Amino acid sequence: MTDYIKIAGGTIHDPANDVDGATRDIWISDGKIVAPPEDASVKPNRTIDAQGLVVMPGGIDMHCHIAGPKVNTARKMRPEEKRASEVVHRTTNTRSGTMGSVPSTFATGYKYAGLGYTTAFDAAILPLGARHAHEEFDDTPCIDKGFYVLMGNNHYVMKSIAENEPQKLKAFIGWLLKSTKGFAPKLVNPGGVEVWKQKQAGNVHGLDSEVDHFNVTPRQIVSQVTQAANELGLPHPVHIHCNNLGMPGNWETTLETMKALNGHKGHLTHIQFHSYGGGDADENTFNSKVTQLAEYVNTHDNITVDVGQVLFGETTSMTGDGPLGYFLSNVYGGKWYSGDTEMEAGCGITPIKYKNKSLVHALQWAIGLEWYLQVEDPWRVVMSTDHPNGGSFLAYPQIIRYLMDRQYRKDVIKTCHPRVKDRCTLGDIEREYTLNEIAIITRAGPARILGLKNKGHLAPGADADITVYTPHENKETMFELPRLVIKDGEIIVDQGDMRDPRNGKTLHVLPEYDTGVETDIQAWFEEYYSIQWRNYPVDDSYLHRSEVVAGR
């Protein structure tokens, strides 16, 4: 006999199925949402009374940094945070963990679930660090997880492009994703990290700068990886961290990157950090260029973005963009870590602090909010803080309040540097988000962009990942403490109390590609790498619970 759970009488926000505030019941069986039994005499084994409560799919964070070598290094870099921050204590249902800007694995899973999030994707895992990432995923409870694989500075990628071998490039992308059990290709400062590794303080400065020794440009890397990934039919074809992140005047590079997609589907990440006007490091020229970039996004439906919202306070910057890490360390002083991974990627980590009285920091905060409010279609802009780079994922309820309460954000503008209102349009924007639009940018939108057909909605067949909120006039209060969080059909959080810290699934892809190219990849690999070819791919034993996500 089938067991059922019914969520009865909730106010449903399920934008993927055009449900905006309707009162409906949701039936659950065997971890999935199902249609109500045809036999009206069948009763649920358990009924959850949701009258007067708001019901949404579980949240999806499509861009964060929660696992892998760089995250573990950042944890070790910040012992002063661990000493001063909140501690997650061991209980009958939880293990102990530490917080700070880079929480420990257990704390990360508990806190995401506590916000009503049930899925998160790490945005930058180097292939040689894939095993480490999978081990940490297995240590991170409550949420489903996946990661994007760094390849924008991979030597074989640039070699294939330089030799005009698109089939080799496509096969290598497929092989790399299969070998790492990853989800999507990630391009970070394409070509620029390799120049940084070759030259002291080196970098590329535009899409047409040439990468020494490879004779390729960032434009070629972006265009050809994007085309190859789209041809592979990946659920999320490419995730792009543009060149010149954080530099005044970088909006022109961002616009050129959008054009370099050549109409193919592509996602530009932490777009706030790539939307700056100005011609030098002088803050007197620093300004917002969101209007110009958002106009392009609004007229080109192949492009999606997440924001990378900055919040005021102390955090830790960690990035696969090695030269950026060095630049930030010079700006903020103090600790700095730089990593160089053979043939693949780099890394930079440094503590930072965003101050509302700093013109640059206040503009970064405002520019992020401008992106949410100037992209006309909420299905193509996603909530993120680039955790922890712009701030913690724990700030998502505060961002929701900014978007739903224009008076609140105008009050905050008044506390910022006095010139910020003259360098951006935020103070003039009257738009306020609806609950349904919040459900889009935190749930339905990222699910669609990632090609997750079983997530981000509440129709039969979907994973029974559901969050129930108590309505409140202050939307930050409403979203920071859900009434219930349901994962795989079971209550895992009840009014902030962790009830069932079950482990989630690892989501990955297994694309089809020309396996005949593996002979060439192996010959190159064995000539240049310091590890053996057979030891590189991640064994299936590292995936304790997993799900292969089919392509488009």
Side-chain angles (χ1 to χ4, degrees):
M1 185 174 180
T2 303
D3 290 337
Y4 290 105
I5 298 173
K6 182 171 79 168
I7 302 175
T11 302
I12 308 299
H13 287 274
D14 181 16
N17 294 296
D18 297 321
V19 180
D20 182 5
T23 300
R24 296 187 181 177
D25 299 337
I26 296 175
W27 288 73
I28 299 168
S29 180
D30 195 26
K32 296 285 186 179
I33 297 173
V34 297
E38 293 183 3
D39 183 351
S41 67
V42 173
K43 303 299 181 184
N45 301 76
R46 178 176 182 181
T47 298
I48 298 171
D49 183 3
Q51 290 188 58
L53 303 178
V54 172
V55 181
M56 293 183 177
I60 300 171
D61 192 343
M62 72 173 291
H63 186 102
C64 58
H65 300 277
I66 58 173
K70 70 182 182 310
V71 174
N72 224 25
T73 300
R75 289 176 179 132
K76 291 186 287 187
M77 277 185 71
R78 304 303 307 273
E80 72 282 2
E81 273 197 333
K82 302 304 181 186
R83 288 191 293 267
S85 68
E86 173 191 353
V87 175
V88 176
H89 293 286
R90 185 181 182 92
T91 69
T92 55
N93 290 324
T94 62
R95 303 186 185 186
S96 58
T98 55
M99 290 298 295
S101 58
V102 193
S104 62
T105 51
F106 298 133
T108 296
Y110 302 149
K111 291 298 184 179
Y112 262 117
L115 283 182
Y117 275 71
T118 53
T119 305
F121 283 80
D122 190 286
I125 299 296
L126 52 101
L128 275 168
R131 275 186 178 81
H132 185 143
H134 285 298
E135 293 278 26
E136 289 205 299
F137 275 179
D138 191 49
D139 215 32
T140 305
C142 302
I143 57 175
D144 292 341
K145 296 140 288 202
F147 62 72
Y148 315 139
V149 182
L150 290 167
M151 56 183 77
N153 293 273
N154 188 289
H155 288 198
Y156 194 93
V157 166
M158 292 187 287
K159 170 180 173 290
S160 299
I161 293 170
E163 295 174 355
N164 193 26
E165 295 276 8
Q167 292 308 310
K168 285 186 178 179
L169 174 62
K170 184 161 68 172
F172 182 76
I173 293 171
W175 172 81
L176 200 58
L177 291 170
K178 175 186 174 184
S179 297
T180 58
K181 305 298 188 290
F183 192 82
K186 174 68 179 296
L187 305 182
V188 171
N189 187 4
V193 178
E194 178 58 29
V195 174
W196 161 255
K197 291 159 70 172
Q198 293 175 13
K199 300 178 181 179
Q200 183 178 3
N203 202 350
V204 296
H205 299 290
L207 255 64
D208 298 309
S209 299
E210 192 165 276
V211 181
D212 291 345
H213 306 299
F214 291 94
N215 301 315
V216 299
T217 66
R219 186 184 302 276
Q220 290 175 297
I221 297 170
V222 169
S223 297
Q224 295 191 37
V225 170
T226 297
Q227 180 173 339
N230 274 267
E231 290 175 359
L232 283 169
L234 299 173
H236 185 57
V238 66
H239 203 88
I240 303 171
H241 160 141
C242 299
N243 305 94
N244 291 328
L245 183 148
M247 299 295 108
N250 67 5
W251 77 279
E252 294 177 333
T253 301
T254 305
L255 183 61
E256 286 302 307
T257 303
M258 293 177 179
K259 294 177 180 178
L261 297 177
N262 295 323
H264 294 293
K265 287 187 178 297
H267 181 86
L268 273 63
T269 190
H270 40 62
I271 192 73
Q272 175 276 132
F273 288 109
H274 304 275
S275 307
Y276 305 156
D280 51 41
D282 183 357
E283 72 174 30
N284 288 319
T285 68
F286 195 75
N287 63 87
S288 169
K289 291 294 183 181
V290 175
T291 298
Q292 292 87 336
L293 292 171
E295 285 177 357
Y296 191 88
V297 172
N298 287 335
T299 56
H300 292 78
D301 62 8
N302 63 306
I303 299 170
T304 56
V305 301
D306 66 78
V307 172
Q309 180 66 45
V310 158
L311 284 304
F312 301 126
E314 189 166 334
T315 190
T316 302
S317 171
M318 62 176 74
T319 175
D321 194 339
L324 173 67
Y326 175 68
F327 171 80
L328 291 175
S329 73
N330 286 326
V331 171
Y332 293 100
K335 304 175 184 178
W336 169 55
Y337 169 88
S338 183
D340 176 355
T341 302
E342 56 179 307
M343 321 302 291
E344 294 185 348
C347 178
I349 305 171
T350 191
I352 59 177
K353 185 174 183 179
Y354 297 108
K355 302 176 181 179
N356 63 331
K357 296 303 182 183
S358 161
L359 176 59
V360 170
H361 296 168
L363 274 169
Q364 290 178 303
W365 168 82
I367 287 168
L369 295 175
E370 284 184 310
W371 267 106
Y372 294 110
L373 297 165
Q374 292 199 46
V375 173
E376 295 169 357
D377 181 1
W379 287 95
R380 295 201 289 123
V381 59
V382 172
M383 181 172 292
S384 77
T385 59
D386 188 18
H387 167 82
N389 289 290
S392 171
F393 64 83
L394 293 170
Y396 290 164
Q398 183 180 16
I399 299 171
I400 290 171
R401 184 180 179 191
Y402 285 137
L403 299 179
M404 298 190 73
D405 185 346
R406 61 176 173 263
Q407 187 57 52
Y408 175 58
R409 62 179 182 256
K410 288 182 178 182
D411 289 342
V412 175
I413 291 174
K414 294 175 184 177
T415 70
C416 295
H417 190 288
R419 284 185 288 168
V420 69
K421 61 181 180 296
D422 301 322
R423 306 291 183 88
C424 68
T425 63
L426 181 63
D428 300 322
I429 299 176
E430 297 297 316
R431 179 182 175 184
E432 292 180 323
Y433 266 56
T434 65
L435 276 178
N436 222 48
E437 288 176 321
I438 294 298
I440 293 172
I441 68 170
T442 60
R443 292 155 164 81
R448 179 180 291 183
I449 293 167
L450 293 168
L452 301 176
K453 298 175 183 178
N454 297 331
K455 294 190 180 295
H457 70 96
L458 299 174
D463 292 345
D465 296 351
I466 302 167
T467 309
V468 180
Y469 295 101
T470 303
H472 196 283
E473 182 180 0
N474 183 327
K475 295 304 184 285
E476 183 174 357
T477 300
M478 173 178 170
F479 280 91
E480 67 186 1
L481 184 64
R483 175 64 185 85
L484 293 172
V485 183
I486 297 169
K487 180 80 185 75
D488 298 328
E490 298 293 336
I491 295 175
I492 63 171
V493 180
D494 186 344
Q495 198 71 47
D497 182 28
M498 181 62 61
R499 295 291 182 86
D500 182 359
R502 59 183 50 215
N503 208 346
K505 301 184 293 288
T506 295
L507 306 174
H508 66 105
V509 296
L510 286 177
E512 295 184 1
Y513 60 92
D514 180 4
T515 57
V517 177
E518 288 185 8
T519 301
D520 184 74
I521 299 171
Q522 180 176 358
W524 168 82
F525 191 98
E526 291 180 341
E527 180 176 359
Y528 293 107
Y529 266 84
S530 64
I531 69 169
Q532 294 184 343
W533 158 267
R534 67 176 181 268
N535 293 330
Y536 191 74
V538 175
D539 187 81
D540 287 343
S541 63
Y542 281 81
L543 304 181
H544 300 280
R545 286 189 66 208
S546 66
E547 179 180 314
V548 176
V549 178
R552 296 180 185 271

